[in-house]
Amino acid sequence: MTATVSATAAPGVGPAAAVRPAARLSTAKPGGRRHLLSIADLDREGIEEILRLTDMFVEVSERPIPRVPALRGKTVVSLFFEDSTRTRLSFEMAAKRLSADTMSFSVSTSAVKKGESLRDTVETIEAMGIDAIVVRHSAAGVPWQIANWTEGAAVINGGDGWHEHPTQALLDCYTIRQQRGRLDGQRIAIVGDIRHSRVARSDVLAFTALGASVTLVAPPTLLPPTLAGWPVEVSHRLDEVLPSCDVVYLLRLQRERMQEALLPSLREYTATYGLTRQRARLLVPGALIMHPGPVNRGVEIAAEVADQPNSVITRQVRNGVAVRMAVLYLLLGSGVDLGV
Amino acid sequence: MSDGPFNQAVLIRGGTVVDATGKRVGDVLIRNGVVEAVGLDLDDAIAGAQVLDASGCIVGPGLVDLHSHLREPGREESETVETGARAAALGGYTAVVAMPNTDPPIDCAAVARQVFELGARATCEVAVAGAITVGRAGKLLAPLAEMADLGIRLFTDDGNGVQDARLMRRALEYASALGVTLAQHCEDSSLAAGGHMHEGEWSSRLGIPGQPGEAEELMVMRDLALSRLTRAPIHFLHLSTATSLQMVRVAKQGGARVTAEVAPHHFSLTDAAVASYDTVFKVNPPLRPPADVAAVKAALADGTADAIATDHAPHAQEDKEAPFDQAPPGMLGLETALALAVTELDLPIERLLALLSWQPAAIAGLAGRHGGPIVAGAAANLCVIDPEVTWVVDATRLASRSRNCPYAGRTLTGRVRHTVLRGEPVVIDGEAQR
């Protein structure tokens, strides 16, 4: 790809993106490669297409033998430069249920520690003849770089820095739709460390694309430097937001935030922004409690609250496999024979 | 390549001569490294002169870059004095100031002497900036007098700002006795720490840690105060925000001894370019939003900024092909600066040459040899510019050893046709002669 200097031609630019180059995963140019890099690359129809397909794969997952031959002969590599057992296992299980071969590459066992460059690592893996790369990296943008360096493989963003985690957003949308019927008109509060959260950035894009309204609830130190162009409301008082929301989405708080002077203490965070047992009573009946995991019980959410019936945290994990099956199928499948 | 002075006579024919004294149509005759005559119809003045066609072109003093990273010694895989000087000559430069963040850094006479020696054979004059502190570490004063004795007139820890206010004060005081100028890379490192692009709308969306413009502005404010306190001159490197430039504007109105440079990328690119995640757009100070870009242009128009300086910063491809937060900051600039100025700035050519030639020559202590005026007896350091021609930047055809050019594919107006160094045509019709 040639370097672009204009704002409008740039990929993955967030809520105010003027151009959405590949609105649907399944309708990219014939012969052209398809990737899933950012929710910003999908429009409403593109997201809904994935959710519809997910319904079918949820049904497959409930069979006694939850496996279909759709991607037989395809190879999916998970290339994880950052620890994430959950996302990696979810992608690998999705690939296996589609009968694809899977390979796993993590930084602790790799040549990267011996000084091999990111580009050499990627080119070496692609040279083995693979069909898709699921990449997780601590730096924003690495999936774009990899997509530029590779020629044949589809690239799936499994989380890049603070930027995006598109399959998490898709599984969140699926879970909300499954539990509440639709996203249109849903009032969703995303609570916690928005600044450092790739989940929040993808969720804001996906939720609002599907017609939900989003309120971000966090101390100013845990919000992005500016929210100009983000289609969201902001609040610093969780108690005022909870009674009027349909979904409360809690983000994981990393303990090192205290060292950066972003917060005085975990105790103060829990007291002001944690979903404590008392605070959870402010929710209307039927309001969902969500979390991308892993949960810090007792910090952003009380242990009992995480286990309440309206908490759908484990449901999110289960739906994650089916959503990732849908994404892999759309990117790698023939598009004709679903094999279901 | 030639040893010793270039002796053949050269006639630059049919151009418009522009220097600080004005603009006039005329030929320029050069012999033995100096301008012998300027006037109409010098054709008959000498037989056997090498003729350089300048019809439709501007004949100006050679450009002077206050800010080039030539990478030698230490990072010869990304640039050498020889390749950097060739890029400079192609860009119309007859002198560049080599920045001291080499390995080892230019923080003593021994390393400075090495760079001067490498520069003696190069296709432009290589002036050297020395470090302010030992190892550019910001702790102890470097031997400024020893380096000033070699002719060094600018000192900077560029790449780092001098963080300690007391040390900067002492450096300014000490330097004032040597007749040299300290140049600051303005960045408060505690506020900028960990930021890989401008902090704002784009960094918020892209999830890249940002550094606010205020990290630059805090040090501009501090150093204006220290310059006032010590009555020593200060030069600000690559200013990039509206507030920085406004502070300089006000300080100049109050008679402060301050000069400022801006870089071509800060008037040609915005932080939106980073949305591609292409590390070619990673630079320090970072690309800024459109309001700052407009302020940089305004500062060039009203004289707040004294010079356009390239901050030419070559990096090997393997270093730039890294995740955004690991890639080194910096972009090439020598071969595109003039064309960007012609293309992006709505200024007459005599103003552009002031910003690219005689004003930076004065700041670098190179006036007399560089920056004109173009009169009989002056050193023949000249460039010939075609201000109308358009061309497309091809990053694979640059003389620099590196390829981190952010303007690849961009159509620019204005190009250097010939460059003459000490009477020798080192660039003829856009081709380096050695």
Side-chain angles (χ1 to χ4, degrees), chain A residues 192-204:
Chain A
D193 188 359
I194 318 285
R195 174 189 286 260
H196 303 98
S197 176
R198 51 182 161 238
V199 174
R201 283 182 178 76
S202 286
D203 273 348
V204 166

Side-chain angles (χ1 to χ4, degrees), chain A residues 1 7 13 33 44-45 108 120 136 148 158 160 190 222 255 264 284 307 320 331:
Chain A
M1 188 182 86
V13 295
R33 266 192 304 163
R44 181 180 184 126
E45 177 51 34
S108 54
D120 285 341
R136 158 72 61 97
N148 285 336
D160 64 322
I190 302 177
L222 296 182
R255 287 160 194 275
V284 295
D307 297 332
L331 291 173

